[in-house]
């Protein structure tokens, strides 16, 4: 790798140390648990702001909980800021890299850029988005959806976690201002481009032994909550031909979801039941009520909607045959997006200039940049994930892989800065 490897801020050991500091801000393990709009997420944002402050970069937190720092240009100014960053919340017992790698790399870029000597013609913004994971409230990318004007104050009062706490209440509890999130919106005229570094959360780069990925398409996701209501009754006294077993019906629905995805014509159709609750949940009671979530992913919106519709239909057919009531609720729906070819080309050229092979690929996971791409040209650079594992304590990327990604990110930012 070129001279960038000599940049102190990009050294693997330093990046790994910062990753460890963020990973320590977690509920008890295994893995990292730092859910959206919790005290721990805010502590992570405070750490981000303090690390920027050490570089002389003042950061502010907006009404939605996004934390943003800006480095002013030091050369002939050009209109429109460029930005980089990612999210600091995690799924329960997730990994130390999902989101955090992009924030740590943004800090390294801020350190390298503020040290110079290369000129900067645009404001450079460093962003930690709030509440990117849908694990708690169902909807993903909330902080970035808010800045993109896709989620407003009214929505925050509708989204609830499994305890019934609304997102608005959780935000208020964290000292944020859900009723003022409109003030957090970004003006596209104020921006030139945005680029995010993220772990791949898949196996393409590892299998092809390529250190850098450049994303062309980010999958969309439709998220459903299915409630099946049967009759809770005695497991001994109730004959098999006189049951309305909600869990047996759910089990059939879960397998049908898998069958729909496996039978789909496109490998990017992915359907998963990730959470399921059973009531009353006792060994001697036939389950009366089951609630489960369905996550439908696709790189083509037509297929995504068709797959989500097919899931609902299958659940209704199974429920009708088994005499069980069914409700299918849509929790969130985000279309797939094709990211900016311009930013992808700049990132690819940056990797090449550093002597790093780069591969263009789709992202199965959703990302904040998916929302930001509605406001400005935006791109995502991937680093490999060991075994493709993510949303798991086993999530891992080597320090050298993270350092290579951060170097590509820095070079990409300088190239975007230099564009017209
Ligand atoms: O769910 C996702 O794809 C992302 O990790 N929020
Ligand atoms: Mn992520
Ligand atoms: Mn994630």
């Amino acid at each position: 790798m070129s001279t960038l490897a000599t940049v102190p801020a990009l050294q693997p050991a330093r990046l790994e140390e910062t990753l460890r500091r963020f990973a320590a801000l977690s509920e008890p393990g295994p893995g990292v648990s730092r859910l959206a709009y919790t005290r721990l997420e805010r502590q992570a944002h405070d750490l981000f702001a303090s690390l920027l402050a050490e570089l002389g970069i003042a950061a502010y937190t907006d009404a939605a909980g996004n934390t943003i720092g800006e480095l002013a240009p030091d050369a002939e100014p050009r209109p429109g800021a460029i930005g980089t960053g990612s999210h600091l919340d995690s799924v329960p017992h997730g990994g130390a890299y999902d989101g955090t790698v992009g924030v740590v790399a943004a800090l390294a870029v801020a350190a390298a850029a503020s040290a110079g000597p290369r000129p900067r013609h645009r404001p450079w913004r460093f962003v930690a988005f709030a509440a990117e994971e849908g694990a708690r409230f169902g909807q993903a990318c909330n902080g970035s959806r808010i800045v993109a004007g896709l989620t407003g104050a009214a929505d925050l009062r509708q989204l609830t976690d499994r305890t019934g706490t609304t997102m608005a209440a959780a935000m208020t509890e964290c000292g944020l201002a859900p009723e003022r999130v409109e003030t957090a919106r970004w003006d596209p005229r104020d921006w030139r481009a945005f680029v995010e570094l993220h772990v791949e959360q898949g196996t393409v780069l590892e299998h092809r032994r390529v250190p850098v990925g450049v994303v062309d398409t980010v999958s969309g996701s439709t998220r459903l909550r299915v409630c099946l209501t049967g009759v809770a009754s005695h497991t001994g006294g109730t004959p098999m031909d006189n049951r309305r077993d909600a869990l047996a019906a759910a089990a059939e629905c879960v397998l049908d979801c898998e069958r729909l995805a496996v039978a789909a014509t496109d490998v990017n159709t992915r359907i998963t039941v990730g959470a399921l609750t059973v009531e009353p949940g006792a060994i001697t009671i036939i389950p009366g009520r089951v609630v489960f979530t369905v996550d439908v992913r696709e790189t083509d919106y037509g297929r995504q909607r068709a797959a989500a519709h097919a899931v609902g239909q299958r659940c209704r057919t199974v429920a009708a045959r088994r005499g069980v009531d069914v409700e299918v609720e849509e929790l969130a729906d985000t279309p797939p997006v094709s990211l900016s070819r311009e930013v992808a080309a700049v990132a690819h050229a940056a990797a090449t200039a550093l002597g790093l092979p780069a591969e263009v690929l789709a992202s199965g996971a959703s990302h904040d940049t998916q929302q930001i791409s509605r406001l400005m040209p935006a791109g995502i650079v991937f680093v490999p994930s060991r075994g493709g594992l993510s949303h798991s304590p086993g999530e891992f990327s080597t320090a050298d892989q993270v350092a290579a990604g951060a170097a590509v990110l820095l070079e990409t930012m300088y190239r975007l800065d230099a564009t017209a």
Side-chain angles (χ1 to χ4, degrees):
M1 198 158 67
S2 86
T3 52
L4 275 176
T6 61
V7 177
L10 299 180
Q11 296 317 301
R14 177 160 165 186
L15 295 166
E16 203 161 46
E17 175 50 29
T18 310
L19 280 164
R20 257 199 300 274
R21 292 183 66 181
F22 281 106
L25 297 171
S26 167
E27 299 292 352
V32 173
S33 297
R34 189 168 62 228
L35 293 189
Y37 293 129
T38 59
R39 169 186 49 84
L40 283 165
E41 186 192 29
R42 299 321 308 162
Q43 287 174 14
H45 279 248
D46 293 345
L47 174 57
F48 174 62
S50 70
L51 292 172
L52 282 174
E54 287 176 14
L55 300 172
I57 298 172
Y60 72 93
T61 295
D62 67 19
N66 301 305
T67 303
I68 302 161
E70 178 173 309
L71 185 60
D74 60 3
E76 179 66 27
R78 286 200 180 102
I82 55 175
T84 186
S86 190
H87 61 94
L88 286 171
D89 61 314
S90 79
V91 297
H93 305 298
Y97 297 82
D98 176 1
T100 311
V101 150
V103 173
V104 169
L107 287 162
V109 165
S114 51
R118 288 170 73 172
R120 282 173 284 101
H121 301 275
R122 302 174 187 279
W124 287 30
R125 292 181 183 144
F126 309 99
V127 184
F129 290 108
E132 189 272 352
E133 296 292 359
R136 181 179 177 188
F137 293 98
Q139 177 170 284
C141 302
N142 296 286
S144 47
R145 286 176 63 88
I146 286 168
V147 305
L150 299 166
T151 291
D155 305 309
L156 304 175
R157 294 189 287 270
Q158 302 302 319
L159 291 159
T160 60
D161 68 8
R162 60 175 55 172
T163 68
T165 304
T166 65
M167 187 177 284
M171 292 170 79
T172 303
E173 183 74 22
C174 289
L176 301 170
E179 68 290 344
R180 287 195 306 108
V181 290
E182 272 69 25
T183 62
R185 289 188 65 171
W186 290 357
D187 180 345
R189 294 166 300 182
D190 193 23
W191 288 85
R192 170 67 180 81
F194 188 88
V195 56
E196 176 176 7
L197 186 73
H198 204 284
V199 288
E200 180 199 338
Q201 301 175 298
T203 54
V204 171
L205 296 179
E206 184 176 68
H207 283 175
R208 296 183 186 167
R209 298 182 188 284
V210 171
V212 176
V214 177
V215 177
D216 57 0
T217 308
V218 182
S219 293
S221 71
T222 301
R223 300 182 178 179
L224 308 173
R225 180 183 285 135
V226 180
C227 178
L228 295 167
T229 308
V231 174
S233 180
H234 197 296
T235 51
T238 313
M240 292 310 290
D241 63 358
N242 184 30
R243 295 184 173 208
R244 295 169 61 189
D245 183 333
L247 184 53
E252 204 175 330
C253 292
V254 171
L255 288 175
D256 276 346
C257 286
E258 183 185 52
R259 288 186 191 113
L260 281 168
V262 169
T265 53
D266 191 283
V267 290
N268 288 314
T269 307
R270 297 168 186 174
I271 305 176
T272 313
V273 173
L276 183 144
T277 55
V278 183
E279 294 170 17
I283 187 169
T284 56
I285 309 173
I286 297 168
R289 184 172 183 272
V290 169
V291 180
F292 60 86
T293 60
V294 187
D295 183 356
V296 179
R297 301 284 175 114
E298 246 293 350
T299 51
D300 171 276
Y301 195 45
R303 288 199 304 261
Q304 177 182 327
R305 293 303 305 173
H309 178 71
V311 165
Q313 289 303 89
R314 285 302 306 151
C315 291
R316 290 184 190 93
T317 303
V318 169
R321 180 164 33 79
R322 287 174 168 271
V324 170
D325 295 332
V326 61
E327 284 168 65
V328 180
E329 178 194 359
E330 187 168 293
L331 294 178
D333 182 69
T334 300
V337 291
S338 296
L339 295 178
S340 157
R341 290 172 184 267
E342 177 206 13
V343 175
V346 170
H348 204 286
T352 306
L354 293 171
L356 293 165
E359 181 103 11
V360 176
L361 72 170
S363 171
S366 61
H367 297 287
D368 289 309
T369 297
Q370 195 168 356
Q371 318 306 333
I372 300 306
S373 69
R374 294 161 184 254
L375 296 174
M376 68 189 84
I380 300 174
V381 175
F382 273 166
V383 293
S385 295
R386 184 177 62 186
L389 262 186
S390 184
H391 285 190
S392 147
E395 188 180 89
F396 180 76
S397 301
T398 69
D400 285 342
Q401 287 171 333
V402 173
V408 170
L409 186 68
L410 178 63
E411 184 59 28
T412 302
M413 290 287 281
Y414 274 120
R415 288 169 179 246
L416 288 172
D417 184 270
T419 56

